[in-house]
Structure formats: C-alpha cells, structure tokens
Amino acid sequence: EIVLTQSPATLSLSPGDRASLSCRASQSVDTYLAWYQQRPGQAPRLLIYSSSERVPGIPPRFSGSGFGTDFTLTISSLEPEDFAVYYCQQRRDWPLTFGGGSRVETK
Amino acid sequence: EVQLVESGGGLVQPGGSLRLSCATSGFRFDIYTMHWVRQAPGKGLEWVSTFSSAGGSTYYADSVKGRFIISRDTSKNSLFLEMSSLRAEDTALYYCARDLSGGDNYFDSWGQGTLVTVSS
C-alpha cells in the first residue's frame, strides 16, 4: 500500500498569506496525485489532479506541483474561504489512498 | 447539474448488515466509474470501493474485502454498497463519488454522505 504523509498537520496563516502544503509518498506515484479541499460540514472538493491539472472552476491561486514522491499544493494568497482541510490522494496503485490531511487555520 | 444523493445509513448492531444507495442524475451514469469513500467522525478520508465502468470490475479496501459488495443498476442510475458483518470501526460518513472520467480514479463529484453507526 502506498502511504501518503502530509505536512504540516496544521498551518496557521492570515488572509493574503501564501500557503504551501506537502504530500510525500512512500513510493513513486509518478504524477498520479490529486488534492482535495474539505470545509467544515461539507463534502470534499477536487481541486487538482495529475499533480498539476486544475479542475475547471477552481481559482488560479491554487496550484499543484511535483513528481514521484514529493508534491506540493500552493495557495498563492489565502482567501477567507480557503481555511479548510486539504487532502492528497494517489491513484497510481490499488488500494487508492489518501494522506492524513493538512488543516489551514486562521492565525 | 451533477447530483449524487446517498441514503440507507443508520444505527446497526455489530455483526449486522446495511445497504447504502446513491441516486445519481445530471450525467450518463453508465459510462462513469463510481466510488465509495468514508470518513470516520473527526478523521480523514478512506477509500472503500470502486465500480469500474470498463467491464464492471470491482475493487475493495482490505478493511472491507469479503464483507462489502459494490454494485450498480444502470436502469435506476444508482450505485449501491451492501455491507455485512459490520464492525464498530465501520462507523463513518459514507460518500458516493463520481470518477473524474472513465477510470481516472480521482473523485470529481461527491454526495453529502450517509452516516453509518455501528454500536450495540
């Protein structure tokens, strides 16, 4: 099973700040990695797939990068609605797995 | 508009069974791979099962293999999860999710979930 480790667990930032979230895989997933946002009380929302492809309708302040085992989700300038939990997910191999999540909270 | 609506959750005793349903609309259900993903209270996301639109192959997490069965009814545009031998650790909000495309295995659209509680 491919284990995804996200860091940091919690990121305390202010609106307008830049956020960088990390996802590290226990073995290579090529570019088969996605990022999801989950706001309190809501279902997750797909933001980025295939490491760097933004889903239509997702604001350009969200970007993804990485290959192999190291990936980053960057939010260039945090908006109030971006304070949420973010999960990475790999589809390189079965079972499909998620990281443990990173919470972006208001400082 | 894509819509996914889960139902069938509830309180069940350990060892019991439950059948979850996911009614879909707004897209061609028969050509999309579909998934179940769960989230225990206060915890992260866990993939549970996949029904592939390509040939009807099914996939399961080790934690549910042999106890859960995923199926679909294309005439009703619905996805199902038959759950048996339920354990306390199966307690979670169960989401139905549509694949990004035919078999990308990314979760593009989600329902609001149905809560399963396994307790005596």
Side-chain angles (χ1 to χ4, degrees):
Chain A
E1 171 175 321
I2 297 175
V3 176
L4 300 179
T5 302
Q6 292 188 240
S7 62
T10 303
L11 199 53
S12 298
L13 295 169
S14 300
D17 286 349
R18 181 184 184 90
S20 290
L21 307 179
S22 172
C23 178
R24 179 162 291 177
S26 59
Q27 62 190 79
S28 176
V29 299
D30 299 320
T31 58
Y32 298 129
L33 190 108
W35 291 94
Y36 300 83
Q37 176 194 67
Q38 188 176 32
R39 296 170 176 151
Q42 295 188 15
R45 175 173 71 146
L46 179 64
L47 303 174
I48 302 285
Y49 64 96
S50 297
S51 179
S52 60
E53 299 294 321
R54 194 182 309 114
V55 172
I58 298 301
R61 65 180 180 273
F62 291 93
S63 63
S65 64
F67 176 85
T69 61
D70 289 296
F71 299 85
T72 301
L73 174 70
T74 301
I75 310 171
S76 59
S77 179
L78 284 164
E79 296 288 338
E81 62 267 26
D82 299 337
F83 291 89
V85 179
Y86 293 84
Y87 295 94
C88 57
Q89 175 245 327
Q90 67 81 23
R91 55 136 289 188
R92 174 63 179 82
D93 205 358
W94 300 99
L96 307 179
T97 52
F98 288 92
S102 287
R103 179 182 304 275
V104 179
E105 65 175 23
T106 308
K107 190 172 184 179
Chain B
E1 180 192 3
V2 173
Q3 288 199 328
L4 307 171
V5 180
E6 303 93 337
S7 61
L11 175 63
V12 60
Q13 292 189 337
S17 299
L18 216 50
R19 188 190 198 214
L20 306 184
S21 300
C22 173
T24 75
S25 60
F27 65 100
R28 263 198 68 184
F29 177 74
D30 62 320
I31 65 171
Y32 277 87
T33 290
M34 297 293 295
H35 312 271
W36 289 99
V37 177
R38 69 185 181 183
Q39 186 168 35
K43 302 297 184 182
L45 302 170
E46 179 188 16
W47 167 77
V48 173
S49 184
T50 294
F51 190 103
S52 173
S53 61
S57 298
T58 58
Y59 303 86
Y60 299 93
D62 284 348
S63 58
V64 307
K65 200 172 292 182
R67 301 187 298 122
F68 290 11
I69 299 173
I70 190 172
S71 64
R72 73 176 185 179
D73 185 337
T74 54
S75 69
K76 296 180 179 178
N77 293 330
S78 293
L79 181 73
F80 305 100
L81 187 68
E82 197 78 43
M83 311 163 68
S84 61
S85 302
L86 283 162
R87 307 165 180 168
E89 54 265 36
D90 295 318
T91 294
L93 186 63
Y94 284 74
Y95 291 105
C96 167
R98 190 189 76 167
D99 200 273
L100 181 61
S101 67
D104 275 334
N105 294 326
Y106 298 124
F107 313 112
D108 165 56
S109 299
W110 300 64
Q112 284 305 302
T114 187
L115 182 62
V116 172
T117 303
V118 184
S119 175
S120 55

